[in-house]
Amino acid sequence: MRAPWTRRHRLLPGLLALACLATVAVAAAVPLTTPPARAADPVLVLDATFEDGTTQGFRSRAGETVAVSTAVAHGGTHSLLASGRTASWQGPALDLLDEMVKGTRYTLTVWVRLAAGQSPGQVRLSVQRDSGGTSAYDQVVGDTAVTADAWVRLSGTYVLAHDVDGLSAYVETASGTADLHIDDFTMAYQPTKPVQTDIPALREVLAADFPIGAAIGNRQVIGDQAVLLRRHFDTVTPGNALKWDATQPTEGAFRWADADTQVGFATDNGLAVRGHTLVWHQQTPAWVFTDTDGTPLTSEPADKALLLSRLEAHIRAVVGRYGDAIGVWDVANEVIDENQSDGLRRSRWYEISGVDYLRTAFRVAREVAPTAKLYVNDYNTNVPAKRDKLRDLVSRLRAEGVPIDGVGHQMHVNVQWPSIAETEAMLRAFIPLGVEQQVTEMDVSIYVDNGESFPTPPADRLLTQAYRYRDLFALYRRYADELTSVTLWGLADDDTWLDTFPVARKDAPLLFDTELQAKPAYWGIVDPTRINPTPTPTVSPTAGPTVSPTVTPTTGPDSCRAAYTVTNQWPGGFQASLKVTNTGVRARDGWTVRWRFPDGQLISQLWNGTVRQDGPDVAVTPTSWNSALPAGGTVEFGFLGSWSTSNSRPVGFTLDGLACATG
Ligand code: XIL
């Protein structure tokens, strides 16, 4: 039975627009032999506006008051107010157990605003799932700035991948107990497109070179995700399920449910498994580094012995449980700090035990899994200083008999970094050591700095990304004798850790899009002749069968116009205005305008937008009320700034990454 207050109808205009754009972005860049399946209309499952004067199923999480309010409203005259909160995790919650179907991707959207008089803060949207008396919490939208003056929209996707006996969505604050309003909550799902069966399987394309893998969670082993995974990949890496916080959250109380599900799926389907990871400074519970009464362990011999015995017990349990099902282990993860003269990260592991935790970890792993390949894994191994410190550590430890078989290169890279030459130098550096090498966590972010944020990946970025995949895989294939596998950190763009790291924004770093369809990046590996040879795609409205007759992609340099005017200037200061016109035919819901100041100018205050400045680089995003920028529409904002020797015009205006004409 569905709750009586829900109402459902088809067509959610915002979502629909996004879905169309996503289709066009792929279509613009890749002339496929057959058009990818088109997205159907999103289906609205829940909609709460509070206009009927009830809380529409929303309740408090624990003791705070949740009641309808007419003090402010996002739409209409009513909202919901949570007050009397005594903890940041309290807030309005809605039960979803009867509404969410496991394996379906839902978009949850809610508008939030702090009550009058509250100081600015941060809010997030989360889901609580309960199972057999234990609760887990998943973030749907990460910490987002909010004030008492404007509504902010939190919108993100969620897939339930566990069996649960309780499920709810809720809004909480990052800290503090401010009273907050919510309004216009919706939950919708996008009917999925079929997994493409008329494109080559990646694993067949790469069969002569190396096995190809993907990081997975529970949701990748059900439904269409599982179909896609089996079709294209040879190996999997559980992305979180084998980490210490997942397997032994409290001492001696092991939890195997998620790891068993994922390793079991792999075994049943003939996929090899990379075990990730046994010892790391993150996702390790605090108890590991404290004694039984909570005192932090020190480097005293007794404390050190306790730590190493815990490490040994952990490895015996985790590695022992999976036996031959896991043939490669990331025994140690991210242990290098290139800024230390000995190259070793000052983690709690190191502080308490020196290098002995590494000796113990590899020795015990070898004893329990004598035929498994044992790896040390790290990020930024292309950076020469880090690469060399890792190489020195591996050669030092191997010389003393520590059983390290291989070096894992994470390869969390982006569309412009690192260079192919530097990546090649990375692979070459380890050849003299006689170790195996694997690429273990590759993804290619569409962002080049933390200030960028695109609601939908721009077509030119996806194309640049395709070139990066093309060139990096061409390099890997040249080094196929050294590389014993290449793993991507995820299966498709609907589920990537980069959506919240290093900042919250939608990223698209993988080979398949949010609807599981092959991206230009996929073709960059599989058949580079299929990606447009010019980095700036210009697709005419009649370019091919995959372009919607009603939506024309415009990604060329004429997609926007920026008119910059200094309206007032005085010694040391100035006031300016910027008008940006969307001269493309694509409406933008949420936008980023960027430019660069040539003379060290600094913005002190900006109105009609939110500004971030990083040195000369400026990025402006909308306020709550001007995020919609229709085709032909204009946004205008103004600011106060400072200057010293000169105040020349900014350069490099872009709208969502597309260069703007000026004037
Ligand atoms: C990431 C997971 O993908 C996220 O789900 C989790 O919240 C944080 O960790 N380097 C690693 C991986 O070695 O374990 C990390 O995985 C990504 C960076």
Side-chain angles (χ1 to χ4, degrees), residues 275-522:
H276 176 85
T277 176
L278 298 172
V279 53
W280 191 22
H281 63 286
Q282 287 182 15
Q283 291 181 264
T284 305
W287 69 261
V288 177
F289 307 114
T290 51
D291 67 18
T292 38
D293 55 16
T295 317
L297 299 184
T298 67
S299 57
E300 290 303 311
D303 281 2
K304 176 172 168 179
L306 178 61
L307 180 75
L308 296 182
S309 72
R310 285 172 173 168
L311 178 61
E312 172 152 5
H314 181 78
I315 293 177
R316 286 197 185 281
V318 178
V319 176
R321 182 171 183 91
Y322 296 104
D324 292 342
I326 300 186
V328 182
W329 279 100
D330 286 333
V331 173
N333 196 32
E334 302 182 351
V335 301
I336 297 297
D337 175 354
E338 67 271 39
N339 298 314
Q340 304 293 341
S341 59
D342 63 1
L344 282 161
R345 177 190 290 276
R346 271 33 181 177
S347 63
R348 292 292 288 137
W349 290 108
Y350 176 88
E351 285 168 359
I352 299 165
S353 81
V355 193
D356 280 344
Y357 77 100
L358 292 174
R359 298 190 176 106
T360 300
F362 280 94
R363 172 180 58 77
V364 176
R366 175 65 95 227
E367 275 171 39
V368 186
T371 57
K373 297 291 183 191
L374 306 183
Y375 271 67
V376 54
N377 188 48
D378 218 319
Y379 63 95
N380 286 3
T381 51
N382 54 284
V383 173
K386 186 152 188 184
R387 174 194 75 202
D388 293 346
K389 285 286 198 299
L390 176 61
R391 184 198 53 203
D392 294 349
L393 176 74
V394 171
S395 87
R396 212 159 66 226
L397 290 177
R398 276 168 58 92
E400 62 169 80
V402 177
I404 300 176
D405 300 309
V407 167
H409 305 286
Q410 292 187 3
M411 289 296 287
H412 293 293
V413 301
N414 73 34
V415 287
Q416 71 179 26
W417 177 90
S419 69
I420 301 300
E422 192 174 283
T423 312
E424 178 164 10
M426 167 190 92
L427 296 174
R428 293 180 74 89
F430 292 90
I431 298 174
L433 270 55
V435 287
E436 287 189 3
Q437 299 187 63
Q438 298 190 344
V439 171
T440 55
E441 305 185 15
M442 181 176 181
D443 44 25
V444 180
S445 173
I446 61 170
Y447 297 111
V448 298
D449 64 53
N450 291 352
E452 291 186 324
S453 177
F454 305 126
T456 306
D460 57 341
R461 285 288 166 104
L462 293 177
L463 199 54
T464 311
Q465 179 185 58
Y467 296 137
R468 299 285 293 158
Y469 270 108
R470 176 194 65 192
D471 297 345
L472 285 165
F473 268 76
L475 171 71
Y476 300 160
R477 293 171 92 163
R478 280 201 284 122
Y479 283 81
D481 288 346
E482 309 300 329
L483 283 170
T484 52
S485 77
V486 173
T487 292
L488 300 164
W489 203 243
L491 175 63
D493 287 344
D494 68 312
D495 187 8
T496 161
W497 75 301
L498 294 178
D499 283 353
T500 53
F501 180 91
V503 293
R505 59 186 171 190
K506 184 67 203 130
D507 208 334
L510 297 163
L511 303 181
F512 298 94
D513 68 16
T514 56
E515 298 180 289
L516 311 189
Q517 308 297 297
K519 291 168 60 186
Y522 161 93

Side-chain angles (χ1 to χ4, degrees), residues 104-180:
T104 297
R105 184 162 58 95
Y106 293 91
T107 299
L108 302 177
T109 302
V110 65
W111 291 82
V112 186
R113 172 180 181 148
L114 297 183
Q118 306 284 350
S119 325
Q122 294 200 308
V123 285
R124 56 189 182 223
L125 175 63
S126 307
V127 164
Q128 173 176 342
R129 52 189 161 83
D130 312 307
S131 169
T134 357
S135 298
Y137 309 92
D138 302 320
Q139 267 185 38
V140 180
V141 181
D143 292 343
T144 308
V146 66
T147 67
D149 303 325
W151 289 95
V152 308
R153 181 173 178 267
L154 304 185
S155 187
T157 63
Y158 185 73
V159 179
L160 176 64
H162 299 77
D163 291 323
V164 290
D165 47 42
L167 188 69
S168 58
Y170 60 96
V171 174
E172 61 187 327
T173 46
S175 61
T177 57
D179 295 352
L180 58 90

Side-chain angles (χ1 to χ4, degrees), residues 626-644:
N626 63 357
S627 66
L629 181 52
T634 297
V635 289
E636 183 168 5
F637 38 87
F639 59 85
L640 292 173
S642 60
W643 60 282
S644 46

Side-chain angles (χ1 to χ4, degrees), residues 171-189:
V171 174
E172 61 187 327
T173 46
S175 61
T177 57
D179 295 352
L180 58 90
H181 291 270
I182 67 165
D183 202 358
D184 294 339
F185 171 89
T186 56
M187 179 168 110
Y189 68 89

